[in-house]
Amino acid sequence: MFQLDYLSCFLTVVATILVGKKMWTGLVVSCVNSLIVCVIGLHTSQYGFIPANLFCICINAFNLRAWLKVEKVSIRIDNDASRELIAECK
């Protein structure tokens, strides 16, 4: 049977690499990893992991929301700049 701790270890490495490359998907992977750690905490009766990782999920969700909002604004600015450049060329 596949062990959750190995999966959590793998997801931690993947999330760290993705966030290091400034990819918002790293935050999603990190949230999934935090859920897995909560399950591990339940199965091993280490209940301290649960509130800590629920807090991490909330922080990741907040950061993801902010990250996507900034990305959306930058796309809008890029589109406006492209329109201005095209208008100047005509």
Side-chain angles (χ1 to χ4, degrees), residues 80-90:
D80 291 344
S82 297
R83 285 188 200 123
E84 289 175 12
L85 185 61
I86 290 170
E88 288 176 7
C89 289
K90 288 183 179 180

Side-chain angles (χ1 to χ4, degrees), residues 5-64:
D5 53 345
Y6 291 119
L7 178 60
S8 177
C9 178
F10 174 74
L11 291 178
T12 300
V13 172
V14 170
T16 303
I17 291 169
L18 290 174
V19 170
K21 290 184 175 186
K22 299 186 185 329
M23 299 175 71
W24 62 265
T25 50
L27 294 173
V28 175
V29 173
S30 183
C31 284
V32 171
N33 185 39
S34 291
L35 284 173
I36 290 171
V37 173
C38 286
V39 171
I40 292 170
L42 276 173
H43 284 282
T44 60
S45 299
Q46 295 177 341
Y47 300 114
F49 282 122
I50 297 169
N53 280 282
L54 290 177
F55 177 75
C56 288
I57 290 170
C58 292
I59 294 297
N60 283 334
F62 178 78
N63 288 337
L64 179 62

